[in-house]
């Protein structure tokens, strides 16, 4: 009994591939294509699959922070408030030790310029206003210190000397002012510019 003749086996094709036609590499998976049998666009487990550079933010990984807005008005108010407080402290120190201290005048100017520029921004107008207020703060501090000394020497209250006899107080200041007095007045604005620059 004769065996039925079976046709020869067809050549094997690569898994999921196309006929090779003699090319041993034909049908291999190309980079970026899904695995055989996996539909295009199916999740691969890689959250960045298929992403091109620049798809996450227009070519920049993070957007730069917006620059702080200059608030000149608030900076000027801060300079004024700081100058008043610093003037009182400067005057109390000078009146307590009965002499002026150069470091205190520098501290007044630096504090006014630094605080104003921190709040108002690095605006030249804020620095100029801070210097002007620092000059006034050192001058006011000198008057406060002199009032404390005169009040103690006369046996009267501070408010009587400072408020009731302010004109006489100014005359005494003019009479007693010397080179160091004007030097301290100049140190305040100079230090204010330094404080403003440091804050910026």
């Amino acid at each position: 009994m004769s065996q039925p003749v079976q046709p020869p086996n067809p050549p094997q094709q690569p898994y999921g591939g196309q006929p090779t036609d003699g090319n041993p590499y034909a049908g291999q998976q190309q980079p970026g294509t899904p695995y055989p049998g996996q539909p295009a666009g199916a999740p691969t487990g890689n959250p960045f699959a298929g992403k091109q550079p620049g798809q996450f933010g227009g070519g920049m990984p993070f957007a730069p922070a917006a620059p702080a807005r200059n608030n000149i008005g608030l900076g000027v108010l801060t300079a004024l408030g700081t100058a008043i407080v610093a003037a009182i402290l400067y005057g109390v120190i000078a009146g307590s030790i009965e002499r002026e201290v150069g470091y205190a005048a520098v501290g007044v100017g630096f504090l006014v310029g630094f605080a104003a520029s921190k709040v108002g921004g690095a605006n030249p107008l804020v620095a100029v206003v801070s210097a002007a207020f620092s000059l006034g703060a050192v001058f006011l501090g000198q008057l406060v210190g002199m009032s404390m000394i005169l009040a103690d020497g006369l046996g009267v209250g501070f408010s009587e000397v400072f408020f009731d006899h302010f004109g006489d107080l100014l005359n005494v200041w003019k009479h007693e002012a010397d080179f160091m007095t004007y030097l301290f007045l100049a140190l305040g604005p100079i230090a204010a510019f330094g404080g403003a620059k440091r804050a910026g």
Side-chain angles (χ1 to χ4, degrees):
M1 184 173 175
S2 62
Q3 296 287 335
V5 178
Q6 296 183 356
N9 291 332
Q12 297 295 321
Q13 296 180 2
Y15 177 73
Q18 301 297 324
T20 61
D21 294 332
N23 184 354
Y25 300 104
Q28 289 188 356
Q29 181 182 358
Q30 298 297 321
T33 59
Y35 291 108
Q38 181 180 13
T44 61
N46 182 358
F48 302 105
K51 297 290 185 182
Q52 297 298 324
Q55 285 184 309
F56 293 102
M60 297 181 65
F62 302 101
R69 240 180 116 183
N70 287 341
N71 194 336
I72 299 175
L74 194 56
V76 170
L77 289 177
T78 301
L80 178 60
T82 307
I84 293 173
V85 173
I88 295 172
L89 292 176
Y90 178 70
V92 169
I93 293 172
S96 299
I97 63 176
E98 297 189 358
R99 65 187 181 93
E100 295 180 75
V101 181
Y103 291 116
V106 171
V108 167
F110 185 87
L111 186 62
V112 173
F114 185 84
S117 292
K118 269 294 184 185
V119 175
N123 189 299
L125 180 60
V126 174
V128 171
V129 171
S130 299
F133 284 159
S134 297
L135 175 64
V138 174
F139 177 64
L140 180 60
Q142 290 176 350
L143 294 180
V144 169
M146 187 172 288
S147 297
M148 290 179 62
I149 296 171
L150 290 174
D152 186 56
L154 298 172
V156 297
F158 168 82
S159 60
E160 183 176 346
V161 174
F162 190 81
F163 295 108
D164 297 341
H165 300 282
F166 191 77
D168 296 330
L169 177 63
L170 286 177
N171 290 331
V172 172
W173 180 88
K174 290 175 185 177
H175 184 266
E176 295 293 329
D178 56 8
F179 172 77
M180 295 304 292
T181 302
Y182 294 108
L183 176 63
F184 293 155
L185 285 174
L187 288 176
I190 294 171
F193 280 111
K197 185 177 180 181
R198 184 68 178 269

